[in-house]
Amino acid sequence: MVHLELFHHFATVTGPAISVGEMSQEMWSNTIPRIALSHDFLMYALLAISSTHIAHLNPTLRGFYWEQATALEGQALRLAHDQMVRIPPSLPSKTTQPSPSNPSNPDSNPETLTSNSPQTTPSASNADALFAFSIPTTWYSFASHAMPPHTAGTPAPLQSTIQCINLLRGIRTINPSVKPYIARGALAPLLALSPEAFKPAPQFTSPETGAYFSELLVFCSTMSGDAELEDQEGFAAAATALRTSFLKVEAVPRGELSSPPVWHWAIRLQAGFVEKLAEGHVIPLVLVAHWCVLLARARHYWWMEGWVERTMGEIRGVMREEHRYWLRWPEERIRGGGVDRQV
């Protein structure tokens, strides 16, 4: 009976509540729930975000519904894993989910996809479901930060942030592999919100912002000098991609989208970057703090409530005093409501 309650809540409350821009109420209240009836992994994902939503709305019942959400999302990930191995060999070979024992290390997760996984071409029968699955999984990755830790003791700093990033990284192999099928299906309008659909502005509207990001890129390059070459390359790629993400948001006319492309940056992060974040390396800390400026644009959604503030607080708590200068700019923008046309 709990699952029926959660399904009804999703179709009548959660679906309409998460409908943004092109994501119409019809899509989330009717089309996607109908697809979920034929794909258990998508159904469990919808039930998980629905249970998380009920927990958000009913604080006195949070314990029960958080427990339900955790179990449902785990089941969704396990079932989706069987579908996500159907990736063409030309695509990236790893999809990561957070490991309870070591959330920063995707290789410690038994459900991580490897190059030895069976690989077949995705089909039209599961393409819409896989694509739809990636969206509530994104929401869950942020909403779950409010849940109590699954292990005893005090959680490590940024543990929930790292788990969120790994969940986002875990869906990166889905969208490219199914895109040709999506374009011909019922969910084609959602492709307008994929990262590739947004083109960055040629430059920042504010010259001061452009100069600041140039300074930030130099800092990242300078501070990575003692790191392994692979880490240096990963830091440089992450810093450049973050600048591009800011330019993409700047290119979206104010008011055109209620949900601009603010979380795409984390999807392409490398495993080494996440490991260094867990170790408290200054460059990942600084870049995630700047990513929070973009995420502040989505704070009006219930599943983002408190995420930016908690992450920024934890970053400040572990950041060495001599590097806290690089927290001033993101903290000022976040207090001002996030990035705008004059970022």
Side-chain angles (χ1 to χ4, degrees):
M1 293 298 292
V2 173
H3 287 187
L4 290 176
E5 174 199 6
L6 296 178
F7 187 70
H8 179 264
H9 184 84
F10 182 89
T12 60
V13 182
T14 305
I18 57 181
S19 300
V20 293
E22 290 82 350
M23 297 184 182
S24 67
Q25 291 194 20
E26 173 67 18
M27 185 82 71
W28 287 104
S29 298
N30 188 5
T31 306
I32 290 177
R34 284 181 178 274
I35 295 172
L37 293 175
S38 301
H39 299 276
D40 287 348
F41 65 91
L42 175 57
M43 178 62 76
Y44 283 122
L46 299 187
L47 297 182
I49 196 64
S50 178
S51 189
T52 308
H53 191 209
I54 294 176
H56 171 78
L57 296 174
N58 298 277
T60 59
L61 301 175
R62 279 181 178 172
F64 173 78
Y65 284 102
W66 274 342
E67 183 178 350
Q68 293 293 314
T70 301
L72 289 163
E73 184 66 17
Q75 184 71 355
L77 292 171
R78 284 189 290 273
L79 293 175
H81 171 268
D82 295 336
Q83 302 292 322
M84 289 191 289
V85 296
R86 301 175 184 178
I87 301 169
S90 60
L91 294 175
S93 61
K94 285 191 177 182
T95 294
T96 58
Q97 310 297 347
S99 165
S101 59
N102 185 358
S104 70
N105 182 8
D107 294 329
S108 66
N109 185 349
E111 292 182 4
T112 298
L113 297 188
T114 69
S115 58
N116 295 324
S117 300
Q119 304 208 0
T120 60
T121 303
S123 66
S125 64
N126 64 12
D128 279 349
L130 281 171
F131 185 61
F133 167 82
S134 70
I135 300 171
T137 298
T138 297
W139 297 325
Y140 181 89
S141 69
F142 287 103
S144 62
H145 85 93
M147 299 179 184
H150 303 310
T151 56
T154 303
L158 295 169
Q159 178 176 311
S160 64
T161 302
I162 291 167
Q163 290 179 342
C164 174
I165 290 174
N166 273 333
L167 270 173
L168 292 173
R169 292 181 62 247
I171 65 174
R172 64 182 173 175
T173 57
I174 300 175
N175 296 357
S177 63
V178 302
K179 188 174 180 179
Y181 302 100
I182 299 299
R184 300 191 296 269
L187 304 187
L190 296 186
L191 288 177
L193 298 181
S194 65
E196 297 81 9
F198 293 90
K199 304 301 179 184
Q203 60 186 8
F204 288 103
T205 303
S206 165
E208 291 79 10
T209 301
Y212 175 80
F213 269 89
S214 295
E215 185 182 359
L216 177 63
L217 293 178
V218 170
F219 169 77
C220 291
S221 174
T222 302
M223 291 303 298
S224 66
D226 59 346
E228 297 291 336
L229 178 60
E230 184 177 359
D231 290 330
Q232 292 182 36
E233 293 173 346
F235 293 158
T240 301
L242 184 61
R243 179 181 182 275
T244 300
S245 293
F246 273 85
L247 288 170
K248 285 186 175 184
V249 171
E250 179 145 323
V252 177
R254 174 65 86 179
E256 182 174 303
L257 283 177
S258 56
S259 179
V262 296
W263 38 79
H264 298 155
W265 175 72
I267 294 176
R268 299 298 178 185
L269 291 175
Q270 299 299 313
F273 181 98
V274 184
E275 292 171 4
K276 291 299 182 181
L277 176 63
E279 295 171 5
H281 194 287
V282 60
I283 294 179
L285 290 173
V286 166
L287 293 181
V288 171
H290 284 71
W291 181 44
C292 284
V293 177
L294 296 179
L295 294 176
R297 286 284 293 270
R299 284 187 295 186
H300 54 289
Y301 295 116
W302 65 267
W303 40 270
M304 279 294 299
E305 185 175 296
W307 198 97
V308 169
E309 291 76 12
R310 176 173 178 168
T311 297
M312 287 298 296
E314 292 184 346
I315 289 175
R316 173 164 280 279
V318 300
M319 182 77 77
R320 294 169 60 178
E321 184 66 35
E322 62 264 31
H323 297 141
R324 288 184 180 175
Y325 164 81
W326 293 101
L327 297 183
R328 295 179 187 174
W329 190 90
E331 287 175 338
E332 289 173 358
R333 269 60 187 179
I334 290 169
R335 284 195 298 269
V339 63
D340 55 26
R341 295 305 305 281
Q342 301 291 329
V343 286

